[in-house]
Amino acid sequence: MTETTSAATAIPPAANQIPVSGADIASAAGATPAAPEITSALIVDATLWILIGFSVVTWALILIKGIQHLRISQHNRSYGKKFWGAQDFQAAAALEGNKGPAARVADIGFTTLIEADGGTTTHDLEHTGDRQELLDRRLRQQMQKERGALESGLAILATIGSISPFVGLFGTVWGIMGALTSISKSGSASLDVVAGPIGEALIATAVGIAVAVPAVIGYNFFIRRNKVIWAFLDDFAIDFVHLALKTSFLIKRPVSGSVASPRTSGTGAKHPVLKASHEDLQAEGAQI
């Protein structure tokens, strides 16, 4: 009897140990779902860093495009004054040291006319047609190149302005999911528990909107500026063709300074050249 009683009294301590081990297991099991909180926090942080990168790219493009448009406007005004202030079409072709889209369009036009006048064009499909068709084609090709240079980078601004709010919204939704999961685990839905995690998650949406607004404004501004510059180049190309038409699409190759000097100094400047050439001929005759 004593052995049975001692055995019976020995069982309860073992039974008391079972709930303790179960609590430990439950607590250990409750600690493992902390992974979603870490994952949601990482995703929200990654979203914010992506938006910050978008913002840096946006402001860099706005600065670069702004400087580009300032230079283009300055160069076009400068060359327009020189071009329309020239004495004639041939004098306009002799202008040097010019920059900007208008100057490049004029240079390709003068180059085309010089090639056509000198007979240096090759007989292929690119150079088929009369001089006016060749000039129109070259001017149109150069204007398309200038248009491509003006539109470079605008696609990035449009993309950032379109997707930034959605990227921020993605980070907000994921952050709210993690916040609700942690709230359900804490078992409390008081304001101090709910406001903090959800407020942090909503920051991603605010940052996304803050990134999208400058990108959209910059895109619309530069699109408008491109239209103004494109209209200017279009009008300039049309006027260039009309001026070339008055000269029958004929233009002389720009001469060097040594040959151009008699043109400015008058007829008296030609005599030294003739005298020098006559003395050279006498010297060659004496050598023979």
Side-chain angles (χ1 to χ4, degrees), residues 94-143:
L95 296 175
E96 297 179 355
N98 302 299
K99 298 179 181 180
R104 288 189 288 267
V105 170
D107 287 343
I108 198 66
F110 287 128
T111 302
T112 303
L113 295 177
I114 291 173
E115 291 177 356
D117 181 60
T120 58
T121 55
T122 59
H123 300 285
D124 52 11
L125 291 177
E126 183 181 358
H127 300 86
T128 55
D130 56 11
R131 295 182 178 182
Q132 183 174 359
E133 293 178 356
L134 181 60
L135 179 62
D136 291 337
R137 187 184 308 118
R138 291 284 185 86
L139 292 178
R140 185 173 62 254
Q141 291 174 354
Q142 183 62 33
M143 290 176 64

Side-chain angles (χ1 to χ4, degrees), residues 278-288:
H278 183 67
E279 292 176 356
D280 293 339
L281 290 175
Q282 289 181 350
E284 292 178 358
Q287 292 177 359
I288 295 174

Side-chain angles (χ1 to χ4, degrees), residues 2 10 19 21 57 89 121 134 137 154 163 208 250 252 259 266 283 288:
T2 56
S21 61
V57 173
F89 199 55
T121 55
L134 181 60
R137 187 184 308 118
L154 295 184
I163 68 174
L250 297 175
K252 297 180 181 180
V259 180
I288 295 174

Side-chain angles (χ1 to χ4, degrees), residues 7-281:
T9 55
I11 293 174
N16 291 333
Q17 293 177 358
I18 294 175
V20 175
S21 61
D24 295 337
I25 294 174
S27 61
T32 53
E37 296 180 2
I38 298 175
T39 305
S40 63
L42 289 176
I43 290 178
V44 173
D45 292 341
T47 302
L48 292 176
W49 281 110
I50 291 173
L51 292 175
I52 291 173
F54 284 172
S55 179
V56 172
V57 173
T58 298
W59 287 107
L61 285 175
I62 289 175
L63 180 61
I64 293 172
K65 299 298 291 185
I67 295 174
Q68 179 187 16
H69 279 265
L70 286 176
R71 290 180 177 178
I72 287 175
S73 299
Q74 181 180 1
H75 292 159
N76 285 344
R77 286 195 300 267
S78 176
Y79 182 75
K81 291 179 181 179
K82 292 181 181 179
F83 181 85
W84 296 110
Q87 184 177 2
D88 52 14
F89 199 55
Q90 181 67 40
L95 296 175
E96 297 179 355
N98 302 299
K99 298 179 181 180
R104 288 189 288 267
V105 170
D107 287 343
I108 198 66
F110 287 128
T111 302
T112 303
L113 295 177
I114 291 173
E115 291 177 356
D117 181 60
T120 58
T121 55
T122 59
H123 300 285
D124 52 11
L125 291 177
E126 183 181 358
H127 300 86
T128 55
D130 56 11
R131 295 182 178 182
Q132 183 174 359
E133 293 178 356
L134 181 60
L135 179 62
D136 291 337
R137 187 184 308 118
R138 291 284 185 86
L139 292 178
R140 185 173 62 254
Q141 291 174 354
Q142 183 62 33
M143 290 176 64
Q144 291 297 331
K145 293 179 181 179
E146 298 297 335
R147 186 172 186 174
L150 289 173
E151 293 179 351
S152 62
L154 295 184
I156 299 176
L157 286 178
T159 303
I160 292 175
S162 300
I163 68 174
S164 292
F166 298 102
V167 173
L169 184 61
F170 171 78
T172 297
V173 171
W174 203 276
I176 290 175
M177 289 173 56
L180 293 177
T181 302
S182 61
I183 290 170
S184 64
K185 291 177 183 179
S186 64
S188 177
S190 59
L191 184 61
D192 55 349
V193 176
V194 175
I198 294 180
E200 293 177 357
L202 291 174
I203 294 177
T205 300
V207 174
I209 296 174
V211 173
V213 170
V216 173
I217 293 176
Y219 174 79
N220 292 331
F221 175 78
F222 292 123
I223 284 292
R224 173 60 182 168
R225 290 295 306 165
N226 287 349
K227 289 181 179 180
V228 173
I229 296 174
W230 180 256
F232 173 81
L233 292 179
D234 193 15
D235 294 339
F236 180 79
I238 293 174
D239 293 337
F240 189 92
V241 174
H242 288 169
L243 291 174
L245 181 61
K246 292 181 180 180
T247 61
S248 300
F249 299 98
L250 297 175
I251 188 172
K252 297 180 181 180
R253 189 178 298 274
V255 295
S256 61
S258 60
V259 180
S261 57
R263 179 181 175 182
T264 57
S265 59
T267 55
K270 295 182 180 180
H271 295 289
V273 178
L274 295 176
K275 183 177 180 181
S277 61
H278 183 67
E279 292 176 356
D280 293 339
L281 290 175

